[in-house]
Amino acid sequence: MKTEVTTWYLEMRDRAALRPAVSDHPALSIIQAAVPSPEFSRFLYASVGGDWYWLQRLSWSYARWLDYLQRDTVETWVAYVSGTPAGYIELDMQPDRHVEIAYFGLMKAFTGQRIGGHLLTAGVERAWDMGAQRVWVHTCNLDGPYALKNYQARGFEIYDQTQHFEDLPEISPGPWPGAF
């Protein structure tokens, strides 16, 4: 199915621009996945992005995942609720000391609980702690309905916007084939 995709590129150039959101969820914790684990990272990618047409990494081999995750510039931070993964943020420090939020999102069961703003805040704070000169992200109209608003609410500003067409399946793949 030919689908028009609008992509927004957002940035934060100063740590002081961050407008934090903090959740009072008593069972929420955010922990770095410090050991490179292709199985776990693919699980997060598919579980969070399956409903939003995150397709690019589904075909990655185990070796490709491992090569990517073993880079010392990549960090994955996972939000847990009562020990269950709820979402994640993946940070990628680039050579120019710009940190890209490569992936960010929540699993469906954990949306609407003020976890996303909290996780994004923690991820952005970590990006600045990594020595970032700039933190940036891109999102598109295929992502969750509150993604763009969450980035802007945290202090990100749009610096570019593009449109193109993509051939997408009629239905998003979901967290795994045949789940729904």
Side-chain angles (χ1 to χ4, degrees):
M1 152 182 91
K2 273 276 200 236
T3 304
E4 186 172 17
V5 178
T6 301
T7 303
W8 297 275
Y9 297 84
L10 300 100
E11 66 183 357
M12 186 180 295
R13 291 196 162 269
D14 186 326
R15 186 180 198 132
L18 176 62
R19 293 189 296 269
V22 179
S23 171
D24 59 359
H25 198 298
L28 174 64
S29 60
I30 299 173
I31 301 170
Q32 184 181 10
V35 176
S37 171
E39 301 90 344
F40 187 51
S41 289
R42 190 181 189 288
F43 160 78
L44 291 169
Y45 178 84
S47 298
V48 169
D51 291 324
W52 311 116
Y53 291 95
W54 291 8
L55 305 172
Q56 296 84 356
R57 292 185 179 181
L58 292 179
S59 63
W60 280 19
S61 68
Y62 182 92
R64 185 167 179 190
W65 274 104
L66 188 59
D67 286 346
Y68 176 79
L69 295 169
Q70 286 180 328
R71 293 173 40 230
D72 60 1
T73 59
V74 173
E75 292 187 6
T76 303
W77 292 83
V78 183
Y80 293 89
V81 174
S82 299
T84 302
Y88 78 113
I89 187 165
E90 182 183 284
L91 306 173
D92 187 4
M93 173 67 87
Q94 298 163 345
D96 54 9
R97 295 187 53 196
H98 293 187
V99 174
E100 177 186 8
I101 298 173
Y103 287 94
F104 164 74
L106 299 177
M107 294 179 204
K108 208 183 262 187
F110 297 96
T111 60
Q113 300 177 37
R114 301 184 46 83
I115 295 170
H118 184 97
L119 176 59
L120 182 56
T121 297
V124 171
E125 288 174 340
R126 175 62 192 144
W128 290 115
D129 289 347
M130 291 168 73
Q133 295 294 314
R134 170 182 175 248
V135 181
W136 73 280
V137 64
H138 71 274
T139 189
C140 71
N141 60 306
L142 298 176
D143 285 337
Y146 302 108
L148 179 60
K149 290 178 183 177
N150 190 15
Y151 293 125
Q152 291 176 312
R154 301 292 71 77
F156 283 89
E157 294 183 2
I158 296 173
Y159 69 89
D160 196 12
Q161 178 177 325
T162 62
Q163 291 181 300
H164 68 280
F165 285 89
E166 283 189 33
D167 282 318
L168 297 173
E170 290 288 327
I171 299 171
S172 66
W176 64 83
F180 299 104

